[in-house]
Amino acid sequence: MVEQAVADAHRREWAAVLAATVRVTRDLDTAEEAVQDAYVQALTAWQRDGVPTRPGAWLTTVARRLALNMLRRQKTFEAKLPLLVDRDTPEPDAFPDDRLRLVFTCCHPALSAEAQVALTLRLVCGVPTPDIARAFLVAEATMAARLTRAKKKIAKAGIPYAVPSASDLPARLDAALTVIHLLYSTGHTAHSGADLVRDDLAERALDLARMLHLLLPDHRETSGLLALLLVHQARRATRTDTSGRLLRLADQDRTRWDKALIAEADELLVDALKAAAPGRFTLQAAIAASHAQAPSYAETDWSEIVTLYDLLLAIWPSPVVALNRAVAVSMLAGPAEALVEVEKLEQDGRLAGYRYLPATKADLLHRLGRDAEAVEAYEAALALTDNAAEQEFLTERAQLFGRPENVGGVREN
């Protein structure tokens, strides 16, 4: 029970506890070490005294005490005490949220885009370094070194732990939107583990998107990002069945989608589209909304979705976007035309480790009646995922189409 309570507190409170501790130390390494020690102490203390009513507050108090002890041991406490006391006083920010401060700290332009994302995953989400390394397809030691360098750069550059001023926002906003989107994506489909979804990460990202929209309500892309996450969140409960098996969009029960979240997203999207040319998050939200408004998968307006993908590709020429466009093309023009696009992406090489490329190719090959090749593609996708729900889905597909009676038969889907 205590172990579960600590694990729950880690999922729910990590970012808030770390952020509150950084407010005292102004040093990410010291704060992170203190928070980790606080969680270790919780295992013993909660076993002895019971789980506190407010685990986050307990952990914050312990972490901040440990952090101050660390500074004292480093013989800098006396020199820094007056400064630390001042810094512990709440700052007069327009939007005083510690987690948002962490995001903007991670998104400082002095850091590389990769460092911004990795730091956010580590600090805001508490994602372990080995998992971040897997997401970036690098060795754990390599990612640990990158994170250390990024934190040292923050300290050396004197990057303030604060929401930037209005004049500083443009340089950091796109990165902040990107990392929040990535946080949600990481929760929407977990990189590893038994479950398809990590609700804690998805909800944390949604909270951050809401806070950012409150901070910048007139910025189109903050509206677009929030709308995008809301539409995805609206169908969260239907992405798996009662046993946790993955369900494709075509197989989901649309009557169970959260209509209130979709309506909220539509309102945000309308506002975002009123201004000039939409940005990448607004266009993604428009695509998601088009899916949400369709009565069924077959009745989806694929022509509109392909057009939206064309606009998106024009401003964001990402191979992932091109792959998603190919799926829409397959529904509009047939799998053969889409397969040509997917094979171009294969030759491009940038999606070599991206499991959805062979998974998409497998589906197209199956629809063309080329089941033996589809099985090979499903097995290639299977080798690229560590998520159990995805592994089960891909294994079932490979086994289904690998049966002798299915090989070589022309299919319609």
Side-chain angles (χ1 to χ4, degrees), residues 265-332:
D266 285 344
E267 189 172 339
L268 288 164
L269 186 56
V270 168
D271 288 341
L273 290 170
K274 280 180 182 175
R280 58 189 172 109
F281 293 110
T282 300
L283 285 170
Q284 290 180 82
I287 292 168
S290 185
H291 280 294
Q293 291 160 3
S296 68
Y297 190 73
E299 296 175 273
T300 302
D301 188 343
W302 296 109
S303 178
E304 177 183 77
I305 288 179
V306 170
T307 299
L308 289 169
Y309 272 123
D310 287 339
L311 293 172
L312 183 57
L313 267 177
I315 63 170
W316 190 28
S318 155
V320 172
V321 174
L323 180 63
N324 291 334
R325 179 185 178 278
V327 174
V329 167
S330 79
M331 300 304 296
L332 182 66

Side-chain angles (χ1 to χ4, degrees), residues 1 11 17 55 64 93 133 136 155-156 174 215-216 229 232 256 268 280 289 310 337 339 343 378 388 406:
M1 178 182 174
R11 283 195 300 273
V17 176
R64 293 171 75 157
D93 290 328
F136 280 85
K156 187 176 180 180
D174 187 68
L215 183 66
L216 298 166
L229 302 195
H232 286 320
R256 294 179 55 215
L268 288 164
R280 58 189 172 109
D310 287 339
E337 187 169 327
L339 184 59
E343 289 176 338
Y378 276 126
N406 288 326

Side-chain angles (χ1 to χ4, degrees), residues 2 40-51 58:
V2 168
V40 171
Q41 288 195 11
L43 286 169
T44 304
W46 295 3
Q47 189 73 49
R48 181 187 63 237
D49 305 328
V51 177
W58 188 97

Side-chain angles (χ1 to χ4, degrees), residues 354-398:
Y354 191 63
R355 59 195 183 277
Y356 299 122
L357 176 64
T360 301
K361 183 179 181 181
D363 180 67
L364 298 174
L365 289 167
H366 162 63
R367 289 164 60 187
L368 290 167
R370 297 160 59 178
D371 279 358
E373 295 169 82
V375 170
E376 290 181 7
Y378 276 126
E379 290 173 345
L382 186 58
L384 295 174
T385 182
D386 292 323
N387 181 278
E390 288 189 331
Q391 289 172 338
E392 181 181 3
F393 173 82
L394 294 168
T395 299
E396 287 180 355
R397 301 286 286 183

